[in-house]
Amino acid sequence: MSIELNKYDFAFLTSKVINYKQELSVVEKEKKIQQLRGNCQVSNMLWRIQKRISIFSEYKEIFQLLRNGEYFKAWCQAEQTEIAIKFLLKNFPDDKKLVEGIRQHIQKLQQLYPYRLFTSTVIVVKQAKCSICGQKLLLRHNCEHKIGKVYNGEMCCKIITDCELKGVDIVSNPEHKYTVLFTTNEKGEQIDHYNYSGIQKLMKLWITPFQNWDYKVTISYMPKQKAYNDDEFCPCGSALFYKDCCKNKPGIKHRLFVIG
């Protein structure tokens, strides 16, 4: 096998000459060959390489989406990249040094977003199966495969084959970050009413995809413009009720991001 793990280091994955799509195609073809041969260890190593390439490729895509003003798409992509990093490190914790910078930047980027309220679905799973062996997953009798672990170059996940939707809640800490609440117009079309000024300030500094950047957060209190009801959402955007947030504060909390 001509593909080597050490080739896909930080310098190569952030270089201007790399073609992510082409590299992924080459690795995928080799992984299929090794899977057919039953070389589980090699197949897992190739999965590791695929995740490395995908994470850096997706991070660059986040940058491009932000440059184009496609803020919600960038938010969704950031969540997917965050998940990819989680599962890479679950299987190969030695890669932490390679992807830790991207993980930290994604978390800092998410804090700049104005999203505070999300939907969360309540689902009862009636039937599911293992993606590796196809065996039904039962309460007391499951297969030997662990969700999130890689077997012969494929990550195990639970495939839901039958479920029931019980309800939808509004939450501030969602399981799925893409479930952002948006307003709609009379035609039912989604309206993006959010203020992305913090991200816009960042993008004046963030010029190249893998450039290092940071910011500081300062807290100040703005004068209260009116009397607020205890059970209405606090105008500071915390997604908490006014009585649980800024009621007893000297004003309405305001976060200022100093980019630099």
Side-chain angles (χ1 to χ4, degrees):
M1 189 186 70
S2 59
I3 298 176
E4 295 183 4
L5 178 67
N6 292 338
K7 170 187 173 181
Y8 297 91
D9 59 8
F10 185 84
F12 180 69
L13 291 168
T14 59
S15 66
K16 295 181 179 179
V17 299
I18 184 172
N19 184 323
Y20 296 109
K21 186 176 181 180
Q22 181 177 315
E23 292 292 336
L24 282 170
S25 178
V26 170
V27 177
E28 177 64 21
K29 288 179 181 178
E30 182 61 32
K31 189 179 77 169
K32 288 181 179 179
I33 293 172
Q34 298 301 327
Q35 287 174 326
L36 289 172
R37 293 175 178 174
N39 294 334
C40 296
Q41 186 173 357
V42 176
S43 297
N44 289 348
M45 186 272 288
L46 291 167
W47 178 91
R48 181 182 185 180
I49 292 174
Q50 284 181 310
K51 284 302 170 186
R52 284 186 176 188
I53 298 170
S54 295
I55 287 166
F56 280 81
S57 174
E58 290 168 3
Y59 185 68
K60 186 174 181 179
E61 184 179 351
I62 294 168
F63 169 79
Q64 295 295 347
L65 288 169
L66 291 174
R67 298 294 292 180
N68 295 334
E70 299 182 78
Y71 302 117
F72 179 62
K73 286 185 178 180
W75 169 268
C76 293
Q77 183 62 73
E79 179 184 19
Q80 292 303 307
T81 308
E82 190 176 37
I83 293 170
I85 291 173
K86 171 186 173 182
F87 286 116
L88 172 65
L89 297 183
K90 182 173 184 177
N91 289 278
F92 299 99
D94 289 346
D95 276 0
K96 182 176 180 180
K97 185 176 181 181
L98 177 68
V99 298
E100 181 64 12
I102 289 180
R103 187 190 67 81
Q104 290 181 0
H105 278 94
I106 286 177
Q107 290 182 344
K108 290 176 182 177
L109 176 63
Q110 290 168 336
Q111 292 173 21
L112 284 175
Y113 268 83
Y115 305 150
R116 296 293 179 268
L117 294 177
F118 308 82
T119 59
S120 177
T121 54
V122 181
I123 297 176
V124 175
V125 177
K126 296 182 177 180
Q127 194 172 83
K129 65 180 182 179
C130 172
S131 65
I132 301 297
C133 64
Q135 182 176 320
K136 288 184 179 180
L137 301 179
L138 304 174
L139 184 62
R140 295 182 180 178
H141 302 284
N142 289 330
C143 65
E144 63 181 10
H145 302 114
K146 305 297 182 183
I147 293 174
K149 296 295 288 184
V150 176
Y151 301 90
N152 196 26
E154 301 296 340
M155 190 178 75
C156 177
C157 62
K158 178 169 66 175
I159 300 175
I160 298 174
T161 55
D162 189 15
C163 65
E164 181 181 354
L165 177 64
K166 288 292 187 179
V168 179
D169 296 330
I170 297 177
V171 299
S172 57
N173 292 305
E175 182 178 358
H176 305 294
K177 294 177 182 177
Y178 64 84
T179 58
V180 180
L181 282 176
F182 287 93
T183 57
T184 57
N185 58 22
E186 296 177 353
K187 297 181 180 179
E189 298 168 333
Q190 180 176 293
I191 300 174
D192 192 336
H193 61 283
Y194 291 100
N195 181 351
Y196 297 103
S197 58
I199 297 172
Q200 290 165 351
K201 289 179 181 178
L202 170 64
M203 298 316 295
K204 291 180 180 179
L205 172 72
W206 191 5
I207 306 302
T208 58
F210 299 103
Q211 170 190 343
N212 193 25
W213 52 265
D214 204 352
Y215 60 77
K216 296 180 180 179
V217 181
T218 60
I219 302 296
S220 62
Y221 291 91
M222 308 295 289
K224 297 179 181 180
Q225 301 296 323
K226 65 171 188 176
Y228 300 98
N229 295 325
D230 284 354
D231 293 326
E232 67 176 301
F233 289 115
C234 189
C236 75
S238 65
L240 298 174
F241 290 122
Y242 176 65
K243 65 182 178 182
D244 299 322
C245 193
C246 291
K247 179 178 180 178
N248 298 317
K249 298 288 181 12
I252 301 300
K253 184 168 60 177
H254 176 70
R255 292 192 304 168
L256 178 64
F257 296 91
V258 181
I259 310 294

